[in-house]
Amino acid sequence: MNLVNSEPAAKEQKILIIVEGARKEVRLLEKLSELYLVVNKQVVSYGANIYDLYSVLESYFGEEFENDESFDLLLALRERECAGRNDPEQKKLLEGKYSDILLIFDFERQDHRFTEEKIRKLMKFFNDSIETGRLYLNYPMVEAFYHLPQNAVQNCCAAQDFYNCRFTEADICGHTYKQRAAIEGNSLNVSDLTKAQMNNIIAHHSKKANFIIKGKYSLCSDYCQEEMLKLLDMQLEDYNRNQAAYVVSTCTFFIPEMYPNDIVL
């Protein structure tokens, strides 16, 4: 990861954040930006899932797009925009120059185009925010961020059982996970969250990721892509064995990674 937290450098940064959905993800990332980021940023809704992105990259650069020296993510996305919605504002954003690119997508294990090879390939390839872009996944989807119980979020306290919160094949194939997360999680408006509340949510997901990777329910000490690939592999193994895996959102991890000394978790 090449995002920095020093003020002089931050003034020179312009970050593009590409999210899957048009509403919930955009509101969440806008709030994160408001609370933490001192850099210039743009949030772009991709409007399709990660396997659509894979198909676009494959059709534009070929099956081995990861080995194409001319790879240009924004070029491929501009072409997609021109062929689809043709939104002038979106095209303008995708024509910009950015110091860093972040991609935030859902796991989407239920998608008929899913293969372990594809999701691992994307995670391994999008490993650098400057060179190719940096990928963060929500397991199973962005609603995982909101799955923390209301009392824990509202009062900035620990949710004792969150480490064991899981999603099942029935949740995602039956399209019931969003409803379940709304019932078991919190209904607070993300726009109203305080920095202390956001810190608490990030901390729970960080501890959860570390629990999955290392078996210790404590804050991650490293958010590098190698660790996130371990997280993906363990989630895949768990799902294949049990038709279930852990609820965890990594979409906020660029915050403690970017500002390791400023954020208090």
Side-chain angles (χ1 to χ4, degrees):
M1 184 63 166
N2 291 290
L3 292 169
V4 298
N5 67 338
S6 60
E7 292 294 333
K11 292 178 181 178
E12 303 301 320
Q13 284 185 288
K14 187 177 181 182
I15 301 175
L16 178 66
I17 306 174
I18 300 172
V19 298
E20 181 171 324
R23 296 182 181 179
K24 187 165 284 188
E25 290 94 331
V26 171
R27 287 197 298 269
L28 172 56
L29 271 296
E30 290 287 0
K31 185 61 180 181
L32 285 168
S33 300
E34 173 194 323
L35 290 176
Y36 300 103
L37 298 186
V38 297
V39 300
N40 187 358
K41 60 92 187 84
Q42 299 288 347
V43 180
V44 172
S45 170
Y46 182 64
N49 74 20
I50 195 166
Y51 304 110
D52 176 75
L53 173 64
Y54 187 95
S55 296
V56 168
L57 298 180
E58 193 175 52
S59 63
Y60 201 88
F61 297 106
E63 290 184 9
E64 296 186 357
F65 58 81
E66 73 276 22
N67 297 321
D68 192 322
E69 293 184 1
S70 66
F71 182 86
D72 185 332
L73 175 63
L74 297 189
L75 176 61
L77 295 186
R78 285 197 300 272
E79 291 293 321
R80 175 184 179 272
E81 187 64 38
C82 290
R85 295 173 298 185
N86 205 22
D87 183 329
E89 286 299 314
Q90 293 283 73
K91 285 197 295 183
K92 184 177 179 180
L93 289 175
L94 294 171
E95 288 169 355
K97 299 294 183 182
Y98 299 95
S99 60
D100 301 89
I101 299 175
L102 309 181
L103 301 97
I104 295 173
F105 283 86
D106 296 343
F107 181 45
E108 301 286 3
R109 175 62 178 78
Q110 77 282 5
D111 191 284
H112 69 278
R113 295 167 294 182
F114 165 86
T115 67
E116 291 190 12
E117 180 184 5
K118 287 180 182 178
I119 194 69
R120 292 190 82 259
K121 182 176 178 178
L122 290 168
M123 181 62 82
K124 290 178 72 174
F125 180 64
F126 288 114
N127 64 2
D128 188 300
S129 64
I130 293 177
E131 296 298 327
T132 55
R134 177 74 191 271
L135 174 63
Y136 297 87
L137 289 176
N138 295 306
Y139 301 89
M141 56 189 65
V142 70
E143 280 73 16
F145 173 83
Y146 302 90
H147 207 141
L148 200 64
Q150 179 116 347
N151 179 62
V153 177
Q154 205 160 24
N155 299 306
C156 296
C157 59
Q160 299 297 333
D161 297 329
F162 184 66
Y163 76 95
N164 202 35
C165 181
R166 294 164 65 80
F167 67 91
T168 67
E169 183 177 60
D171 285 332
I172 56 176
C173 293
H175 305 289
T176 59
Y177 176 72
K178 289 183 181 181
Q179 181 181 9
R180 184 186 150 208
I183 294 170
E184 297 176 2
N186 69 85
S187 59
L188 299 174
N189 188 333
V190 70
S191 300
D192 297 330
L193 292 178
T194 66
K195 193 168 186 178
Q197 290 170 331
M198 189 68 80
N199 284 348
N200 190 41
I201 297 173
I202 295 173
H204 276 83
H205 286 286
S206 175
K207 291 176 180 179
K208 183 77 168 282
N210 201 49
F211 173 74
I212 298 167
I213 298 168
K214 299 179 180 178
K216 298 179 180 179
Y217 194 66
S218 57
L219 292 174
C220 287
S221 59
D222 193 343
Y223 298 90
C224 71
Q225 206 70 348
E226 183 179 346
E227 291 297 294
M228 295 303 102
L229 188 57
K230 289 179 185 176
L231 175 63
L232 172 61
D233 284 341
M234 297 192 80
Q235 290 283 76
L236 288 170
E237 182 182 348
D238 191 4
Y239 190 92
N240 290 340
R241 185 173 60 247
N242 302 305
Q243 290 73 59
Y246 287 101
V247 169
V248 62
S249 172
T250 73
C251 71
T252 61
F253 285 4
F254 69 94
I255 297 297
E257 188 172 17
M258 190 173 181
Y259 302 108
N261 299 318
D262 295 344
I263 187 170
V264 179
L265 295 179

